[in-house]
Amino acid sequence: MTITNHKVYRIRLGIPRSHLRPIKTPLYGFAGEKVISEGAISLPVTVGEGQHQVTLMVDFLIINVPSVHNIILRRPSLNAMRAVISTYHLMMKFPTEGGTGYLRGDQHESRRCYAIVVKKGSVKQAFTVNILDPRGPTEDSPVEDLEKVPFDEADPSKIVQLRTSLSSEQWSEMLTFLQRHKDVFAWSHRDMARISPDVMVHRLNADPDCKPVKQKRRPFDAERYEAIADKVSILLDVGFTEEVHYPDWIANVVLVKKANGKWRVYVDYLDLNKACPNDSFSLPRIDQLVDSTVGHELLSFLDAYSGYNQIAMHPPEKQKTTFVTDKGLYYYRVMSFGLKNAGATYQRLVNQMFAKQIGHTMEVYIDDMLVKSIKASDHLADLWKTFTILREY
């Protein structure tokens, strides 16, 4: 939690500096600017009115930064209140001994307060912690200090990203480690060993009572037809798709232009997804994953190459993924992006793979993996366990 104006505690609350606990960890803004905290203090906070109120002790950081808001409450306090927030209804509800308490937001009042502060010229951007390195950047290094490093002499296009703030010894040890484990990396679809069907397959579990839908082929211009043909050619070449005749389900392709001007090709599985039940397997909460990295000296971020395509489709249901192009009909042999419950299937896989590591030396959100070490000296050993499991599967 943060109190953003030092006058709040010195004048209005009447709290002397001697009551503040010293805090050495600075806060870093989006642009890399550093703010040193005045200190920390625990204060009682009461929310609600009359019988419908709750009081809890909140740990605040005091920083001397002009802001629209004097006090900012973060997730731990809201969780302690067991608060439920609806931004749509501008309301927060929370349980109390006298029943359900609530706070209503006032959009007009919020805009008025903001306008007043803007006119005074005292608004500065909000501050956040640089989560790439829990220790924060040093005086000599910017927030973004990742360097692309080739680690395969035979192919300089194969690179990894290492922080320039690592010591020369850490840099050398990390690069040597990755070079020894380069067989775990995939640089193209051909490098993907794929997950054994004995370990995991994606099941649609489509309702047999739902009538199959055959979408009528949509027309495209020449540029889009060329992009579709290139995509299908690649998928056929690597064995992700296969031509099919007389399928019951047929979906159209959808094209979305990427920032580089090229086309990204998807499949419109809206009708098929309607026939599939929802997989209740829950995904991790992003905020909890971020909070779990606090106190770790070294982090490594890994991204599964073409993650969804590494899981095979359940053979009896492959033809339900059929899509149509001007060249023919094709179905996916592997799990495709856009299929309902694909994320749940992948999360179930990684939870099974890293069951002993998750919560200790790893956090995994679908195909994004984080290896974390409380002590930097243990990081290579933690990475070794992760790469061993990746190689096994």
Side-chain angles (χ1 to χ4, degrees):
M1 318 316 144
T2 307
I3 295 181
T4 58
N5 194 322
H6 68 299
K7 293 183 180 179
V8 171
Y9 75 82
R10 293 184 61 187
I11 301 176
R12 299 183 184 177
L13 298 183
I15 301 175
R17 285 184 179 273
S18 59
H19 287 201
L20 300 182
R21 301 190 304 272
I23 295 292
K24 297 181 179 180
T25 305
L27 299 178
Y28 290 90
F30 291 111
E33 66 273 34
K34 182 172 68 173
V35 174
I36 302 297
S37 172
E38 301 272 339
I41 191 169
S42 297
L43 298 174
V45 175
T46 299
V47 182
E49 296 180 351
Q51 295 181 345
H52 302 102
Q53 65 180 21
V54 61
T55 300
L56 67 157
M57 295 298 296
V58 177
D59 291 329
F60 286 96
L61 291 180
I62 313 296
I63 59 176
N64 186 10
V65 176
S67 171
V68 178
H69 309 286
N70 282 326
I71 297 177
I72 301 174
L73 293 178
R74 294 177 61 242
R75 288 188 301 270
S77 294
L78 298 176
N79 291 341
M81 290 172 54
R82 294 181 290 170
V84 178
I85 300 174
S86 172
T87 56
Y88 181 83
H89 297 94
L90 294 177
M91 179 181 287
M92 179 175 76
K93 290 187 176 182
F94 46 91
T96 70
E97 294 183 356
T100 302
Y102 67 88
L103 290 178
R104 292 184 181 274
D106 189 326
Q107 193 174 63
H108 297 289
E109 183 67 14
S110 296
R111 289 177 178 175
R112 188 184 68 83
C113 292
Y114 183 79
I116 292 174
V117 178
V118 169
K119 289 180 180 179
K120 292 181 179 180
S122 61
V123 175
K124 294 186 179 181
Q125 69 176 17
F127 286 85
T128 186
V129 177
N130 169 27
I131 62 172
L132 287 176
D133 188 340
R135 298 168 297 177
T138 63
E139 289 288 337
D140 301 323
S141 65
V143 174
E144 295 294 340
D145 59 354
L146 295 174
E147 181 176 336
K148 295 181 179 180
V149 184
F151 79 126
D152 188 346
E153 296 180 357
D155 187 352
S157 65
K158 297 179 178 180
I159 61 173
V160 293
Q161 296 186 86
L162 297 179
R163 290 191 70 94
T164 57
S165 57
L166 293 174
S167 67
S168 57
E169 182 180 1
Q170 288 176 324
W171 180 284
S172 177
E173 290 178 346
M174 182 68 72
L175 188 56
T176 300
F177 173 88
L178 295 175
Q179 288 172 336
R180 290 177 179 172
H181 294 80
K182 63 183 179 182
D183 61 296
V184 179
F185 289 83
W187 307 102
S188 68
H189 292 95
R190 293 188 178 278
D191 298 331
M192 292 168 49
R194 302 188 207 173
I195 300 297
S196 169
D198 296 333
V199 175
M200 186 67 62
V201 294
H202 182 62
R203 300 174 184 268
L204 298 174
N205 295 311
D207 186 349
D209 295 330
C210 286
K211 184 179 179 181
V213 177
K214 295 183 179 180
Q215 297 179 4
K216 184 178 179 181
R217 183 168 70 88
R218 300 169 188 165
F220 298 102
D221 57 30
E223 181 185 358
R224 288 176 171 82
Y225 276 133
E226 183 179 356
I228 294 171
D230 291 342
K231 178 68 173 181
V232 172
S233 176
I234 294 173
L235 294 174
L236 287 171
D237 189 46
V238 297
F240 286 0
T241 59
E242 188 174 325
E243 192 169 7
V244 63
H245 302 281
Y246 307 110
D248 295 325
W249 291 83
I250 300 178
N252 272 287
V253 295
V254 179
L255 292 94
V256 178
K257 206 152 198 175
K258 298 188 287 187
N260 60 7
K262 296 183 179 180
W263 292 99
R264 191 183 300 277
V265 182
Y266 298 99
V267 180
D268 180 9
Y269 285 127
L270 182 61
D271 293 318
L272 177 61
N273 288 339
K274 288 180 180 179
C276 300
N278 186 55
D279 189 341
S280 299
F281 192 88
S282 60
L283 300 180
R285 291 178 54 127
I286 293 293
D287 57 340
Q288 292 179 347
L289 296 186
V290 173
D291 291 344
S292 71
T293 65
V294 175
H296 292 76
E297 289 186 348
L298 207 54
L299 310 174
S300 286
F301 299 86
L302 298 82
D303 182 34
Y305 184 88
S306 193
Y308 283 11
N309 297 150
Q310 298 190 24
I311 297 179
M313 287 295 301
H314 184 47
E317 298 180 303
K318 289 188 293 187
Q319 290 198 14
K320 291 185 174 67
T321 66
T322 297
F323 59 94
V324 59
T325 75
D326 60 320
K327 303 295 184 183
L329 298 166
Y330 309 90
Y331 67 78
Y332 270 95
R333 300 175 60 190
V334 296
M335 185 171 68
S336 171
F337 184 85
L339 288 174
K340 190 173 185 178
N341 303 318
T345 296
Y346 204 96
Q347 189 68 46
R348 184 179 282 108
L349 167 69
V350 293
N351 282 10
Q352 175 181 330
M353 291 171 57
F354 302 109
K356 295 182 179 180
Q357 279 71 36
I358 291 177
H360 300 286
T361 61
M362 285 190 70
E363 301 297 342
V364 186
Y365 184 83
I366 310 182
D367 58 349
D368 291 309
M369 292 166 277
L370 166 68
V371 181
K372 58 182 184 178
S373 301
I374 294 179
K375 294 183 178 179
S377 57
D378 296 333
H379 195 60
L380 290 184
D382 295 333
L383 274 177
W384 181 85
K385 295 177 183 177
T386 300
F387 275 66
T388 299
I389 295 171
L390 290 170
R391 184 180 287 109
E392 175 186 350
Y393 282 87

